[in-house]
Structure formats: structure tokens, C-alpha cells
Amino acid sequence: MSASPSTVGAVGAAALTPVFVRLKLSLLRNGLKGSTKRRAAFVSSLVFVLLAAALTVLLLALLRGNAHAGTVVVLLSGILALGWAFLPLLFAAGDDTLDPTRLVMLPLRPRPLVRALLVSSLVGIGPLFTLCVAVGSVVAVARGAAGFAAGLVAAPLLLLGCVALARAVATANIGLLSSRKGRDLAVISGLLIAIGAQFVSFAAQRLAEPGGLAALRPAADVVRWLPPATALGMVESAGEGAYGRAAAQLAVTVAAVLGLLHVWERSLTRLMVTPDGSTVAAASPARDRASDGGLWALLPAGRPGAVVQRTLRYAFRDPKTKAGWISGLAVGAIVPVFNALQGTGSVYLACFAAGMLGALMYNQFGQDTSAFWMVAQTLSTTREAYAELRARAAALLLVTLPYTVLVTVVTAWLVGNWAALPDALGLSLALLGAMLGTGALSSAYYPYSIPQEGAFKSVVPGQAGLAVSSIFGGMFASALLCAPVAALVIGLRVTDHHSLLWTVLPAGLGWGALLTWAGLRLAAPKVARSIPEILEAVSKG
């Protein structure tokens, strides 16, 4: 008697889950068989996560009985869900099991595959930490038998919701994870985390003030109805005796988990039946990107427009260049704005924006890497080198000049010191001009290579000292070159000639333009006669 196809399918689906769990365990075990550094990294990360989980559970348990425990727990679960949703996109390379394209050639149906992947996804350091947070949150807010009974359901639901959310987002964005844009995210992930840490620090200072947690109550009232945070909202509602509200939150949580699993299954099905773009001919003829219109059409013809466009395209497309732009824009705004919000700011801190963005002018040819040889073919005279450097500086000014003005105006508004806006803006513009001038000189005299491999490597071995002396030496020289404008500001303020402080703005603008012009003029002859040396320096590694 032969088995029916449905029976065979059921048996296959049931046997698939333990196979995937064993595969996940094998991946973890084989990871420990690699190099000593890899084993040390895995063990240290495991110990760190266990300690963090134990500390989190302890702190959450200490919140039990606190009037704001529900607020903290609900918001914490929301942040945890956001981490599960977006961290896999930033660190996709750390988990090969996030890539379902490895399974598309296997004769597997989507629904059993989703079930097997879901169960195997519960094995790992991340799920362990999430479960510990869920248990500690239940202990913090559960009251009475009803609350703890709801907690028995809420903890696994929160874990399932986070895992299903991560898998659904990763599968829907598998093209991003395996593309250049995904690698871009990996490069800038550290910057995003650093910027986010500034916001966390600022929020922690505000929460430490009397009544700080009470200010989060409105946000918690919204988040407790957003899954999977609704699972912990259900525990709090059940402990308060609001069984109707708890039932509604339970229904929302279950519906959200089932919906995420459905989205995951549909994305997986589409991935398994859709041909890869590399195996089919393009549906439409290739578009001539050089003829793109839009804002590019506003650029002048010839070398100036081509260089400006190339420089800005590098800023958008090259991961290392993009990281430099993002860090400059972010830090340039964070330092003055956050100090102003904390009550310790000064309008003169807006000079950070000019300083951070002006640093982008340094090592211009190193940013081209080995592709600089194509540019080098067009730099046979001093005039051509000057036109190249001038166009690169103009490309930076298209962004840095309005951004510097914006940050200075916003800082003056936040600190309430509009009277200092002209001299602060004049100082910023003078510093920006000095950085562009010294950056051109540094690019000509001290070029160095930027490695393409490694997300967080900014200089090849053996050139670190050259890079440090180039950047910091240029910054120090820029500060000295801005001394006349700074002396003008100090002199007018000390002598109480405040009515003349407006003159610092045109003086700073003119002085900055003069320094930029002088730097470009002095750097151009060096570039023209040192093309072989520059090409050798930027092509190392």
C-alpha cells in the first residue's frame, strides 16, 4: 500500500524542522572550529550577552512595584523589536542563515520551510537575550495570578514576534542584503550606532531629571498597542484586572505574528519562483546615464561640471566616501545642537560643522583609489590641475556652504543669541575656507591610499602616520590661518564695539575665499609635476 502525496508531504514537513535545528547547531559548532580569534570572539560575545541579560533581568526585577515599570517595559520591548527589524540589515554578513537564496534550489515548499526556519531561528545568542528580557519584563509588571498567567503567554509571543519580524524584513530585503547598498549599510552602521548613542545619552540625561519617566507615559500609551509590545501590555492589563483590554492586546499580538509569518511566506514564495536578474535579459534597453537630466543639467559643461558630478556621485555611491560625508554632517550638527539643548551651548560651536565638512577636502586623490590613473591622464599642466582642484572644492561647497549656514542659524536660535550670529558665521566661513585650502595642499603633498576591503579600515598599513599628520597638521594650520578673524571678534568684543560685529561676516567670507584660492593655487603646480608619485601613493594596498 503506497502512501498518498499528502501523507508524504506531512511527513517531510514534520521531519524538516529538526533537520534545520540540527543544521543551525552545526553552524554554531563549526564556527568554534575556526581560528582562535573567531572562537575568542564567539565566546566573548556569548559571555557579554549572558552578563547583559542577567543585569537586564535584575534591573527589570528591581522595577517591580514602581509606578513607571509598565512604561519602561513597554518602551523597552518596542526598542527591542526595532533592533530585531533593522540590525540584520546592518550586519547581514554576520548571519548566513538570513539569506534564503541558499535554499531556493532545494525541493521544499514555502510553508514547511517557514516553520523550520522559524524554529531554527530561536537557536542563538540573540533569541536567548530576547527571552531573558521578556522574562524580566513579565516579572516587572505582572501582578496577581492573572498577570503571571498572561506572562506565560506573553514571553514566547514577544520572542516569536521579534524573530518573525526580523525574518520577514530580511527576506523582503534580500536584494538589499546582497547588493552594494547592503554593503554601504554595513560600512555606515558604526556611524549610525555612534549617532544613536548621542541621542540615547541625551535622553538618559533628561530621564534622570525629576519626573523624567512620567514624560514617557504618552509614548508608552501608544507603543503598548503596537505589536509585539502589545504582549507585555497584555500582562500589565491582566494584572490590573482589565481583562477586556488584555484580550484585545492578545488578539493584536497573535494577529501580528500570524501576519508577519504570512508576509514572510509570500516573500519566500516570490523569491523561490522569481528568476534572478542575472539570468534573464534586460526588459528595457540600457539607459545612457551620462545623459541624465535633472539637477546635473544645471552644471557647467566641460571639466568643471564633470568633476563636480563625479565628486558628488562618489559621495552617494562609494561606501567609504559616503561614511565620511555622513560622519561630517552628523557630528557637525550634533555637537552644537546637543550642547544647546543641554543648556551648555554656544553659537561658536557651530564651527564644528565647518571643521568636519572641510576635512572632506583632505586626501582628495586617495578617495579615487586606483581609479585616479584615469584622472591623472588629464592633469599634464598646472592649469589643468588647478581646474581639477577648483571643481572638487566647488562640489564640496555645494553642500558644505549652505549646511554651515544652516547649522549656525539653528544653533543661534537654540541658544537665543542672535546678536552673535554674524561673527559666528564669519568664523565658520573663514574656517571652512582655510580647511579647503589646506586640504588641497595636503592632497597634493601627502596623498595616501584608502583600502576598499574592510568596512572600518581607512588607511593601508604603513601609511597611518602619513594620514594622521596630514589631517591633524592641516587642521592645526587651518586654526592658525583663522587667527586674524578670531582676533577681530575678540578685539571688537573686548573693546565693546558690538555694533561693528556684523563686519566679521564679510571679513570671514572674504578671508575664507582668499585662503581657498591660495591653497588651490599653491597645490596645483605640485599636483601637475607629481602625478607618478601621487598615483603610486593612492594605489597601495
Side-chain angles (χ1 to χ4, degrees), residues 294-321:
L295 296 177
W296 299 126
L298 301 177
L299 296 176
R303 179 191 291 271
V307 174
V308 169
Q309 185 174 166
R310 182 202 333 130
T311 303
L312 294 178
R313 285 189 184 276
Y314 277 173
F316 294 137
R317 295 181 176 181
D318 180 64
K320 295 294 181 69
T321 308

Side-chain angles (χ1 to χ4, degrees), residues 70-82 158 216-234 236 249 252-253:
T71 299
V72 173
V73 162
V74 167
L75 293 178
L76 179 61
S77 62
I79 295 173
L80 191 64
L82 286 177
L158 177 63
L216 296 177
R217 182 73 185 189
D221 291 339
V222 175
V223 175
R224 65 171 33 94
W225 285 100
L226 300 177
T230 45
L232 296 179
M234 173 192 65
E236 186 180 13
Q249 290 169 323
V252 170
T253 307

Side-chain angles (χ1 to χ4, degrees), residues 110 154 161 164 231 268 307 379 459 536:
L268 196 58
V307 174
L379 303 179
V459 61
E536 180 183 2

Side-chain angles (χ1 to χ4, degrees), residues 351 354 401 404-405 424-434 505 508-509 511-513:
C351 291
L401 184 58
T404 299
V405 175
L425 185 55
L427 270 175
S428 297
L429 296 178
L431 178 60
L432 179 60
L505 178 55
L509 178 61
W511 185 246

